[in-house]
Amino acid sequence: MDRGLIGAGTALPPLTVPVTRTLIVAGAIASRDFQDVHHDAELAEQKGSPDIFMNILTTNGLVGRYVTDFFGERAVLRKVAIRLGAPNYPGDSMVLSGSIGAFDGTTAEVRVVGTNSLGNHVTGTVTVTLPGPARVPEAEILPEAGT
């Protein structure tokens, strides 16, 4: 990513995330969220949901990944502020999109929206910092052979 080519208003390319049962359950287990609505379809239905649904921690991780994939492996998430809307159910897809609201060359604020077939699943902002350019130490100049 060339910092000179990005700035306020730059759009991030969209990312489509297939919402599978495996993703929902694995995300819940990985984040130690053992609420039955994230892994047991029968109990989720008894509680009024048509199926299991993704937890906020999985969504948070996907939003973070989306932003760091754009800015590169050295990017550091400083703040993720999201709000959930329509649930992510299995069999749907979530499309993440974003745009840079502010960028000072080191810190960017990115507006992110994730939509599914029901509407906005997630909206929010992510603040990310980019470390300065890598410094290469000056090479030690060795004397030529024979001097």
Side-chain angles (χ1 to χ4, degrees):
M1 181 217 38
D2 182 347
R3 293 181 201 202
L5 298 178
I6 63 170
T10 301
L12 280 64
L15 172 68
T16 300
V17 178
V19 181
T20 64
R21 284 186 189 284
T22 301
L23 175 62
I24 293 169
V25 173
I29 291 169
S31 60
R32 300 178 55 97
D33 183 347
F34 303 115
Q35 293 292 318
D36 50 26
V37 294
H38 304 308
H39 64 84
D40 189 318
E42 253 181 57
L43 291 175
E45 287 176 20
Q46 287 175 15
K47 292 182 177 183
S49 179
D51 206 337
I52 62 172
F53 55 90
M54 185 176 288
N55 72 353
I56 191 169
L57 297 171
T58 303
T59 300
N60 195 66
L62 291 169
V63 167
R65 170 203 162 188
Y66 174 62
V67 172
T68 56
D69 279 359
F70 177 77
F71 285 100
E73 64 186 31
R74 296 182 66 215
V76 177
L77 295 174
R78 296 296 179 187
K79 180 179 180 184
V80 179
I82 61 172
R83 176 178 216 114
L84 291 184
N88 266 342
Y89 293 118
D92 207 344
S93 291
M94 176 175 63
V95 179
L96 291 165
S97 60
S99 62
I100 298 173
F103 183 60
D104 66 8
T106 304
T107 302
E109 184 176 277
V110 183
R111 292 183 299 267
V112 177
V113 176
T115 59
N116 61 31
S117 65
L118 301 174
N120 286 346
H121 168 69
V122 63
T123 56
T125 58
V126 176
T127 303
V128 61
T129 57
L130 307 174
R135 292 181 169 241
V136 178
E138 289 187 34
E140 182 181 337
I141 301 175
L142 300 174
E144 291 183 31
T147 57

